[in-house]
């Protein structure tokens, strides 16, 4: 942890997460707070605006930010993604905590700015996630788990350094996964799948009703995706000592294939 703390590249990555998260939240939630046809209480104000616009705004903004800062911080922009990469032993515990802090702070700052920009908008929800009518807490939790699961699974699969068959754009694939999650979940929960994004709106709107769903759901979904991918779908060989070195030092080498095909197991070697 101490070695990471002293490195400028580490703090550049934390700043990149904060800045990219701020832009992502401002653009994506701002698209749902339009003055002409705002989305309120998980419903559109008129038929002129539907969930496709908001879903694409979230997905395209994630893809844009991932392309912009991915080489600096990895562009997690989501505590659930950060947790998944932590469990996958790709980052240290210290970096994960700093990333989550930067993401939450970025979301709060962006939502506060949006609050000022849209202060005259009647019934301004500031993108607050809430359960739709007829949806109970358990059902909403299930939606959040599944939507986040497919997102984190996509992140792990498209950024897997062992693969040589990915010819398209990883940021675009991840952005489309975010859009897909929103197409599914907006009508049920407003679509959290990102605890920091949900926290920013809840804090500025001072409304934490059922807020736990938007932390517990993405955490379960993200953790499940990481464990299933790493231990079942594309297993890696590494003992507990190696994993502890990654979690504490944050330094990890490229994964070395033990075979020629994707069915081969992989050895993870911390530096």
């Amino acid at each position: 942890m101490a070695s990471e703390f002293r490195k400028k590249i580490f703090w550049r990555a934390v700043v990149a997460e904060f800045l990219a998260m701020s832009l992502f939240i401002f653009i994506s939630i701002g698209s749902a707070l339009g003055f002409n046809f705002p989305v309120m209480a998980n419903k559109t104000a008129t038929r002129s605006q539907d969930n496709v616009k908001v879903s694409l705004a979230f997905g395209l903004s994630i893809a844009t930010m991932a392309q912009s800062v991915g080489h600096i911080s990895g562009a997690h922009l989501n505590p659930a993604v950060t947790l998944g990469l932590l469990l996958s032993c790709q980052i240290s515990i210290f970096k994960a905590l700093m990333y989550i802090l930067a993401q939450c702070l970025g979301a709060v700052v962006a939502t506060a700015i949006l609050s000022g920009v849209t202060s005259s908008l009647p019934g301004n929800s500031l993108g607050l996630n809430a359960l739709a009518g007829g949806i109970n807490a358990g059902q909403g939790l299930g939606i959040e788990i599944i939507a986040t699961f497919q997102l984190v699974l996509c992140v792990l699969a498209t950024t897997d350094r062992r693969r040589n068959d990915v010819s398209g754009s990883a940021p675009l694939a991840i952005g489309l996964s975010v859009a897909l999650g929103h197409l599914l979940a907006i009508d049920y929960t407003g679509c959290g799948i990102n605890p920091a994004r949900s926290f920013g709106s809840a804090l500025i709107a001072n409304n934490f009703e059922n807020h736990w769903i938007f932390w517990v759901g993405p955490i379960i979904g993200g953790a499940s995706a990481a464990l299933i991918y790493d231990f079942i779908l594309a297993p890696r060989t590494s003992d507990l000592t190696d994993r502890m070195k990654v979690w504490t030092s944050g330094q990890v080498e490229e994964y070395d294939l033990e075979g020629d095909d994707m069915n081969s197991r992989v050895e993870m070697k911390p530096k």
Side-chain angles (χ1 to χ4, degrees):
M1 183 180 76
S3 61
E4 279 192 308
F5 186 83
R6 292 194 298 265
K7 292 180 179 178
K8 290 182 180 179
I9 192 172
F10 172 82
W11 293 107
R12 290 194 191 105
V14 173
V15 171
E17 283 291 303
F18 167 78
L19 179 60
M21 188 71 180
S22 299
L23 291 172
F24 161 60
I25 293 298
F26 188 88
I27 294 168
S28 55
I29 294 183
S31 71
L33 296 180
F35 276 84
N36 292 328
F37 307 111
V39 177
M40 293 182 291
N42 303 343
K43 298 179 181 179
T44 53
T46 75
R47 293 182 179 178
S48 299
Q49 182 190 52
D50 57 20
N51 294 342
V52 175
K53 170 197 170 184
V54 179
S55 299
L56 287 177
F58 273 86
L60 291 176
S61 58
I62 278 288
T64 301
M65 292 301 104
Q67 191 70 54
S68 301
V69 303
H71 62 296
I72 302 172
S73 69
H76 297 188
L77 308 182
N78 186 334
V81 172
T82 299
L83 176 62
L85 293 174
L86 174 65
L87 294 178
S88 185
C89 284
Q90 299 187 42
I91 59 173
S92 68
I93 295 175
F94 179 60
K95 175 176 278 189
L97 292 175
M98 291 304 300
Y99 271 23
I100 292 173
L101 179 61
Q103 292 156 5
C104 290
L105 183 59
V108 169
V109 169
T111 308
I113 295 173
L114 271 174
S115 177
V117 172
T118 62
S119 59
S120 58
L121 180 66
N124 190 355
S125 65
L126 294 175
L128 183 70
N129 290 124
L131 299 177
I135 301 297
N136 62 38
Q139 293 167 332
L141 182 66
I143 290 290
E144 288 294 313
I145 290 173
I146 294 172
T148 309
F149 180 92
Q150 63 86 28
L151 168 59
V152 177
L153 184 65
C154 178
V155 171
L156 293 171
T158 55
T159 61
D160 193 336
R161 290 171 287 183
R162 297 170 292 170
R163 295 184 63 179
N164 55 16
D165 62 322
V166 180
S167 57
S169 168
L172 180 58
I174 295 169
L176 290 175
S177 180
V178 171
L180 181 63
H182 280 76
L183 288 171
L184 163 68
I186 282 180
D187 286 332
Y188 300 97
T189 64
C191 190
I193 71 173
N194 187 328
R197 168 258 188 276
S198 300
F199 176 73
S201 297
L203 182 65
I204 301 302
N206 194 27
N207 186 342
F208 288 90
E209 183 178 2
N210 293 316
H211 183 65
W212 65 271
I213 293 173
F214 304 104
W215 280 90
V216 176
I219 286 174
I220 294 176
S224 300
L227 296 176
I228 289 174
Y229 185 81
D230 262 13
F231 291 98
I232 298 177
L233 300 181
R236 299 183 174 99
T237 58
S238 59
D239 57 31
L240 181 60
T241 301
D242 288 339
R243 288 180 174 270
M244 289 300 296
K245 288 179 181 178
V246 176
W247 286 332
T248 55
S249 70
Q251 297 175 328
V252 61
E253 294 178 353
E254 295 289 333
Y255 299 124
D256 298 322
L257 283 173
E258 292 181 351
D260 295 330
D261 55 66
M262 270 303 297
N263 293 324
S264 301
R265 293 177 68 82
V266 175
E267 182 69 27
M268 182 170 57
K269 300 177 180 178
K271 294 178 179 177

